[in-house]
Amino acid sequence: MSAATTGPAPVTVIGLGPMGRAIAATLLEAGHPVTVWNRTASRATELVAAGAAQAATPADAVAASRLTILSLTDYRAMHDILDGSTDALDGATIVNLSSDTPDVTRAAATWAAHHGASFLAGGLMVPAPMVGTEAAYVYYSGPRAVLGAHEAVLRPLGTPRYVGEDPGLAQLWYQAQLTVFLTTLAGLLQAAAMASAAGVGVGDFLPDALDTLTGIPVMLEGGHELAKRLETGVHPGDLSTVAMMGATADHIVSTSHASGIDTRLPQAIKSHYDRAIATGHRTDNWTALYEVIKPRH
Ligand SMILES: NC(=O)c1ccc[n+]([C@@H]2O[C@H](COP(=O)([O-])OP(=O)(O)OC[C@H]3O[C@@H](n4cnc5c(N)ncnc54)[C@H](OP(=O)(O)O)[C@@H]3O)[C@@H](O)[C@H]2O)c1
């Protein structure tokens, strides 16, 4: 008597923006039967040609697989799609890889539980073309057992990084990382505008700007010392003081102004230094800015 063989589990993907399409394509490549649904049905065309089934309704899509992955602009979109199909949620597992606030995500987990669904929140940490590559990883939060039950299916999208039972935590990790990402991208654009305003070719300038970015991990030596300073609130050091860095922040505002470029980002950074100096951190290391950024209890 031969044991019954089971193939890769069926998966449903709702939301076919760049990310949802990359998720569905990666699951198809991994051999899963994939059902898709998207508000704008035409976005499924290529996936259907590649073997996906296109559900007629969100309820049909959820019913097609034990596991439904959502990839939507925000959680409002999830409610717009599924609020009229809550009967289909009973017994389903929803993994929502859409961005939203931790509080909205916690409320969604409660909503899903109320309708009999298991719910896991996730944040995919790479752009769509990198989904399924070695570099991809995904923060997950919610019941660990739910991740455990579906980890084999989810792993091809990116290495899972489980951050806790609180469903809001994956969003928090995601948004903290996106804070680094968005401010870095804004900084690059700000710097390029300054260079360009002075007649420096952006193409000549940007490679050096990227060297500055990749030099930061070296400067932070893996982040252990930085973590210690932020955790202890002690910021010794005379190599990069608040006074010195603050003077540079002031020069950047003045140069931006003289260049005719937008000054709001440099002003925001200068304000951190101004407030750190005003609260007695002039001779501390630049890490003392943390004291004016973090919440005051
Ligand atoms: N793109 C990236 O590089 C990237 C990287 C990491 C994480 N993420 C996250 O992944 C998620 C999806 O990203 P994306 O780039 O694919 O987003 P997107 O381009 O905004 O696509 C969003 C999807 O949401 C659907 N949608 C939006 N509002 C809706 C509503 N009210 N009702 C029904 N459907 C609605 C869209 O449907 P239609 O097609 O009908 O408009 C589309 O399928 C986002 O939360 C994003 O933050 C994206």
Side-chain angles (χ1 to χ4, degrees):
M1 197 172 75
S2 64
T5 54
T6 54
V11 189
T12 289
V13 179
I14 293 182
L16 299 177
M19 194 47 105
R21 292 199 301 275
I23 290 168
T26 303
L27 293 168
L28 280 171
E29 272 166 37
H32 294 279
V34 174
T35 298
V36 295
W37 185 89
N38 194 57
R39 177 179 63 179
T40 307
S42 59
R43 289 184 112 173
T45 304
E46 277 181 28
L47 290 164
V48 170
Q54 186 167 13
T57 65
D60 289 349
V62 173
S65 315
R66 260 187 72 212
L67 172 64
T68 293
I69 297 174
L70 306 182
S71 179
L72 301 161
T73 308
D74 53 24
Y75 273 50
R76 182 70 256 154
M78 174 185 76
H79 288 293
D80 286 350
I81 293 167
L82 293 178
D83 274 355
S85 311
T86 48
D87 285 353
L89 295 180
D90 196 15
T93 296
I94 303 294
V95 175
N96 195 337
L97 301 184
S98 315
S99 175
D100 217 309
T101 67
D103 283 347
V104 165
T105 303
R106 291 178 189 117
T110 304
W111 167 85
H114 176 73
H115 293 292
S118 302
F119 185 88
L120 206 58
L124 228 162
M125 293 308 300
V126 290
M130 288 171 67
V131 170
T133 66
E134 288 282 309
Y137 64 100
V138 189
Y139 291 124
Y140 289 104
S141 62
R144 186 184 270 282
V146 176
L147 177 59
H150 298 281
E151 188 168 341
V153 181
L154 296 170
R155 185 165 282 278
L157 305 178
T159 305
R161 294 193 189 175
Y162 180 74
V163 292
E165 293 277 326
D166 170 0
L169 275 177
Q171 297 286 9
L172 196 92
W173 278 76
Y174 177 79
Q175 279 166 33
Q177 297 292 3
L178 267 287
T179 302
V180 176
F181 187 56
L182 297 188
T183 51
T184 302
L185 296 185
L188 277 176
L189 299 181
Q190 187 76 34
M194 182 187 281
S196 174
V200 177
V202 169
D204 294 332
F205 166 76
L206 278 178
D208 282 14
L210 296 180
D211 278 351
T212 300
L213 282 187
T214 51
I216 290 174
V218 178
M219 171 188 140
L220 295 181
E221 297 171 356
H224 299 300
E225 183 63 23
L226 176 60
K228 194 170 97 186
R229 289 176 184 208
L230 304 190
E231 282 165 8
T232 60
V234 179
H235 304 278
D238 53 12
L239 290 178
S240 306
T241 62
V242 170
M244 180 279 285
M245 300 275 269
T248 301
D250 189 33
H251 302 153
I252 293 169
V253 171
S254 298
T255 305
S256 300
H257 187 69
S259 307
I261 65 173
D262 190 89
T263 61
R264 276 167 282 200
L265 180 63
Q267 291 276 12
I269 293 162
K270 178 178 177 299
S271 87
H272 288 149
Y273 285 95
D274 289 348
R275 282 177 288 131
I277 289 167
T279 50
H281 295 290
R282 170 181 289 279
T283 58
D284 283 344
N285 190 268
W286 67 271
T287 54
L289 262 62
Y290 191 61
E291 305 306 320
V292 301
I293 295 171
K294 71 180 191 185
R296 291 156 201 233
H297 295 297

